[in-house]
């Protein structure tokens, strides 16, 4: 199971795609598990680290166009059905944000989303 809803009724899933938010970025970043805690401030820009990271990517950055966003949303709908969750909100742009609830109630499927072209 992806999430332990034992003591929670909701889950927020957020993610960026590969190569789209690198260590050293001007907007700030989190690089270690100890820093990846809610409320912990982002680290400041480190241009040398960003250049190093860009030069050492193992693949090309992944950008979500409309087709990829639709595929990703369909996959989330399949998982929600398997797990008996509610998919309350889905925002798929240059990143992904999904808001889930614990038990499935008769709700309409989330079908509205926007995508933006990046890169």
């Amino acid at each position: 199971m992806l999430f332990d809803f034992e003591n929670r009724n909701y889950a927020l899933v957020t993610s960026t795609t590969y190569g789209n938010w690198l260590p050293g970025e001007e907007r700030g970043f989190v690089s270690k598990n100890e820093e990846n805690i809610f409320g912990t401030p982002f680290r400041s820009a480190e241009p040398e680290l960003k250049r190093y990271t860009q030069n050492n990517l193992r693949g090309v950055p992944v950008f979500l166009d409309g087709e990829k966003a639709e595929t990703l949303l369909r996959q989330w709908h399949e998982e929600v059905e398997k797990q008996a969750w509610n998919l309350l909100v889905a925002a798929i742009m240059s990143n992904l944000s999904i808001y889930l609830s614990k038990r499935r109630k008769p709700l309409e499927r989330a079908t509205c989303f926007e995508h933006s072209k990046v890169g």
Side-chain angles (χ1 to χ4, degrees):
M1 184 196 284
L2 291 172
F3 304 101
D4 176 13
F5 278 125
E6 186 73 30
N7 298 310
R8 296 182 184 94
N9 291 320
Y10 299 93
L12 174 62
V13 179
T14 61
S15 180
T16 58
T17 57
Y18 182 77
N20 284 308
W21 196 333
L22 301 174
E25 293 246 349
E26 297 79 18
R27 58 185 160 175
F29 67 102
V30 175
S31 67
K32 299 177 185 173
N33 289 338
E34 302 85 46
E35 294 175 343
N36 196 8
I37 299 170
F38 180 75
T40 303
F42 290 154
R43 289 176 58 180
S44 298
E46 296 178 28
E48 289 181 27
L49 178 59
K50 181 180 177 185
R51 273 191 300 281
Y52 174 82
T53 305
Q54 285 175 321
N55 292 333
N56 288 284
L57 289 174
R58 294 183 178 172
V60 296
V62 175
F63 298 102
L64 298 175
D65 59 16
E67 183 180 337
K68 290 176 186 170
E70 288 174 16
T71 300
L72 192 53
L73 183 61
R74 276 195 307 276
Q75 184 61 48
W76 269 99
H77 278 296
E78 289 176 22
E79 188 62 31
V80 164
E81 289 298 318
K82 285 187 228 174
Q83 300 294 337
W85 300 332
N86 282 324
L87 193 159
L88 303 175
V89 177
I92 301 172
M93 294 171 277
S94 60
N95 64 337
L96 162 75
S97 296
I98 302 283
Y99 195 51
L100 305 167
S101 69
K102 185 175 185 176
R103 293 300 317 161
R104 193 158 25 105
K105 296 175 185 168
L107 293 176
E108 292 183 28
R109 285 176 56 139
T111 56
C112 297
F113 64 93
E114 295 181 21
H115 70 277
S116 59
K117 292 181 181 179
V118 181

